[in-house]
Amino acid sequence: MAVREILILPDKRLRHVAEPVKKIDAGIRKLIDDLFETMYDAPGIGLAATQIGVKKRVFTVDLAKKEEPKNPQVFINPQIVWSSDEKATHEEGCLSIPEFYSEVERPVQVKVKYLDLEGEPREVEANGLLATCLQHEIDHLYGILFIDHISKLKRDRVIKKFAKAVKRAS
Ligand code: NI
């Protein structure tokens, strides 16, 4: 296992579209181990393969609170098969856009089909924080960031800020 580098806005690889996992082999299991280790190290509640520069439809999630035991969850080839008409607004952040938070409106409930670590098809009906998190992570697999759901004015401002930081560092 290894802590991998998390890509930061405006890294173009964050815009790559991930490909479906064909076979859950040693390489995919290693990727999942790395995602968990990197996510816990950050720390964060979700991490998509896209965020470590791997174009595979995989992400990890753990919504357990600090005092609760770990609850590692992995989603392979996830797909939203249903979302509610009802929407809600939650504050979101992203390990690829550190220290920036904004309210995002999304469907309150979603149904997601995916494969588990054994390659077994699964389905989860999610609401609350899990629904938000699943939609946020699935977006990553399409190269979509949560700032794409906020106003253009706010988005342009945050992109500009991060682009400047890259310039300063180089
Ligand atoms: Ni994110």
Side-chain angles (χ1 to χ4, degrees):
M1 298 220 289
V3 173
R4 307 272 289 261
E5 188 196 346
I6 298 174
L7 305 181
I8 304 294
L9 187 79
D11 196 303
K12 287 192 173 64
R13 289 169 289 175
L14 289 170
R15 296 307 191 173
H16 287 174
V17 177
E19 286 149 18
V21 171
K22 289 196 188 101
K23 190 167 177 264
I24 302 168
D25 56 13
I28 293 297
R29 281 193 290 270
K30 165 85 167 66
L31 168 67
I32 291 165
D33 284 347
D34 287 356
L35 281 171
F36 276 122
E37 197 169 339
T38 308
M39 180 180 83
Y40 287 127
D41 177 73
I45 59 170
L47 187 66
T50 311
Q51 292 177 274
I52 58 168
V54 178
K55 287 198 276 182
K56 293 282 179 206
R57 293 186 61 82
V58 180
F59 65 81
T60 53
V61 167
D62 190 335
L63 300 182
K65 296 193 183 75
K66 253 187 197 159
E67 65 279 11
E68 293 170 350
K70 279 185 181 174
N71 180 27
Q73 290 179 277
V74 61
F75 295 82
I76 302 167
N77 295 347
Q79 212 182 339
I80 295 172
V81 291
W82 174 82
S83 50
S84 64
D85 292 332
E86 193 193 341
K87 292 184 177 177
T89 302
H90 294 286
E91 187 176 72
E92 293 186 30
C94 181
L95 293 174
S96 293
I97 314 172
E99 284 160 53
F100 178 77
Y101 303 91
S102 188
E103 301 269 308
V104 177
E105 190 190 61
R106 299 185 189 267
V108 173
Q109 258 187 303
V110 287
K111 212 185 269 180
V112 173
K113 278 189 174 165
Y114 64 100
L115 301 178
D116 66 14
L117 201 47
E118 277 73 48
E120 291 299 320
R122 301 238 177 196
E123 195 175 286
V124 60
E125 215 175 308
N127 53 45
L129 181 58
L130 181 61
T132 298
C133 190
L134 292 177
Q135 292 174 82
H136 177 121
E137 299 309 329
I138 289 170
D139 269 357
H140 272 303
L141 305 179
Y142 291 103
I144 298 166
L145 298 169
F146 82 93
I147 54 170
D148 298 339
H149 297 289
I150 67 178
S151 77
K152 187 177 184 312
L153 186 75
K154 276 174 102 179
R155 178 168 62 250
D156 287 349
R157 205 186 292 152
V158 65
I159 291 172
K160 210 170 162 185
K161 189 182 150 203
F162 277 81
K164 265 190 193 161
V166 171
K167 256 191 198 161
R168 265 202 305 274
S170 60

